[in-house]
Amino acid sequence: MKKNFIFLLFFTFFSLAGIAQNESYQLSSHILDIHTGKPAPGVEIILSKQDASGRWSVVEKRQTDANGRVKDFLRTTPEGHHGIYKLTYLVGPYFESQGQDTFYPFIEVVFQIKDNAHYHVPITLSPYGYSTYRGN
């Protein structure tokens, strides 16, 4: 009986661990600080969605990892996450932590998800400029 319980415990643990590793997300982002040539870690990014009346509501908040990435916005679902979204990059505190003045306290990127494909929204960043595009 005890061996069966231990087996069941290990089986459950490893099954759940496998499920967690197989999760996928529809949206990701990356920040490259072109002033330093390195990723921008620790930047808070707020994902918001626009409703039919034009109002924004916060969906999720994340911080960039050591590689300047957020990989886990919008867990994949069969119906997808169609709509108009906004990523707000709170870059002011990042530049402050670098001892660098900046023109941008935050950056907003608005985009539309029209299908169930993966969307990657990276930005290249400097204290006085930025660029964005739809990556893959």
Side-chain angles (χ1 to χ4, degrees):
M1 177 95 171
K2 188 175 180 182
K3 287 182 182 179
N4 287 343
F5 175 74
I6 291 172
F7 173 77
L8 181 61
L9 184 65
F10 278 111
F11 178 78
T12 303
F13 173 76
F14 286 110
S15 294
L16 291 174
I19 290 169
Q21 292 174 353
N22 291 330
E23 291 179 3
S24 63
Y25 298 87
Q26 192 170 3
L27 178 64
S28 60
S29 187
H30 179 232
I31 304 174
L32 178 65
D33 183 342
I34 59 174
H35 180 72
T36 64
K38 297 179 181 178
V43 176
E44 185 174 8
I45 304 175
I46 302 167
L47 173 66
S48 302
K49 185 175 184 181
Q50 190 177 54
D51 66 20
S53 70
R55 287 182 293 216
W56 294 99
S57 59
V58 172
V59 176
E60 298 175 334
K61 295 180 183 183
R62 301 278 189 271
Q63 261 197 346
T64 56
D65 64 15
N67 292 316
R69 297 181 183 279
V70 171
K71 300 175 184 177
D72 59 350
F73 282 122
L74 301 176
R75 185 177 308 218
T76 303
T77 64
E79 60 276 0
H81 297 279
H82 301 212
I84 298 176
Y85 290 87
K86 171 174 63 175
L87 287 170
T88 304
Y89 300 84
L90 303 178
V91 297
Y94 166 76
F95 282 119
E96 187 176 315
S97 75
Q98 303 294 309
Q100 176 69 52
D101 191 29
T102 181
F103 184 65
Y104 301 104
F106 62 90
I107 297 167
E108 293 183 326
V109 178
V110 178
F111 58 96
Q112 186 170 10
I113 293 179
K114 296 181 178 183
D115 54 31
N116 292 356
H118 178 79
Y119 286 70
H120 182 64
V121 183
I123 62 170
T124 54
L125 177 65
S126 76
Y128 298 97
Y130 69 91
S131 180
T132 187
Y133 57 95
R134 179 176 176 191
N136 59 15

